[in-house]
Amino acid sequence: MNSIVDTLYQLKYNPFEYGPHIASFYTATGESENNLLLAPLVIPLCSHPIFGQKLFNSNKRSTIWSVFDDRTKLYDLQERIHGFQTLTEQCIQYCLINDWLSVNEQSLSILPCDGSDSEFTYQKNAEKLGRLFSGHSVVEVYAFLGVKPR
């Protein structure tokens, strides 16, 4: 029974499914220093049952404060970040291999690639999360959400 559960988990949470989330997020954030540190937040927030839907339904006037208005519902975010750490790393590798993203080692930032041969399907909730975070520093985002980077 355990192997069936593990197999179903791997089918739902795999880099092929969530790689476009990472790529969509970094396409929307623009260039900012240390934005690599925001990667662990993307999958836990976009796959969150409450906030994933709120992100999808947000509009241009939405802010980080209006989308994450009830932070008590983020009680498990630190655990979700830890649980999705390996998947996040695999997704970044998948995006780098497909030339969707590139890494600037000097500023610890991830940038979208312009001339990519293979296209990905934009994920609206990840793109909207990127727009929400784009006006804030990494420290502000982590402090607001009440989690610690690893």
Side-chain angles (χ1 to χ4, degrees):
M1 186 68 172
N2 192 21
S3 65
I4 292 172
V5 172
D6 290 340
T7 303
L8 290 174
Y9 179 84
Q10 289 176 354
L11 281 173
K12 179 171 174 132
Y13 297 106
N14 64 67
F16 307 111
E17 181 73 28
Y18 283 96
H21 283 78
I22 300 288
S24 297
F25 175 80
Y26 281 108
T27 300
T29 57
E31 186 174 350
S32 66
E33 198 164 306
N34 297 327
N35 73 355
L36 174 64
L37 298 174
L38 294 174
L41 297 173
V42 177
I43 297 171
L45 288 174
C46 289
S47 66
H48 194 277
I50 297 167
F51 293 109
Q53 191 64 33
K54 284 184 85 171
L55 283 167
F56 188 79
N57 294 331
S58 65
N59 58 33
K60 289 184 179 183
R61 293 179 306 212
S62 297
T63 64
I64 192 171
W65 293 276
S66 66
V67 173
F68 301 106
D69 55 350
D70 188 5
R71 288 185 280 173
T72 59
K73 294 179 182 171
L74 288 172
Y75 67 92
D76 65 339
L77 183 58
Q78 190 72 52
E79 294 168 6
R80 290 174 64 83
I81 289 171
H82 179 68
F84 286 121
Q85 185 66 38
T86 303
L87 178 61
T88 300
E89 292 168 1
Q90 291 172 345
C91 288
I92 291 172
Q93 291 173 358
Y94 179 66
C95 291
L96 292 172
I97 289 170
N98 284 314
D99 290 330
W100 296 341
L101 300 174
S102 64
V103 177
N104 182 342
E105 296 170 0
Q106 306 303 329
S107 64
L108 287 176
S109 60
I110 296 180
L111 309 166
C113 290
D114 293 332
S116 175
D117 290 338
S118 60
E119 291 293 321
F120 60 91
T121 305
Y122 282 92
Q123 302 296 317
K124 276 196 182 249
N125 56 353
E127 190 175 4
K128 289 180 178 183
L129 181 66
R131 275 192 252 134
L132 285 177
F133 287 173
S134 66
H136 304 282
S137 71
V138 174
V139 174
E140 288 175 327
V141 171
Y142 273 98
F144 178 79
L145 295 174
V147 293
K148 297 178 183 176
R150 290 189 170 240

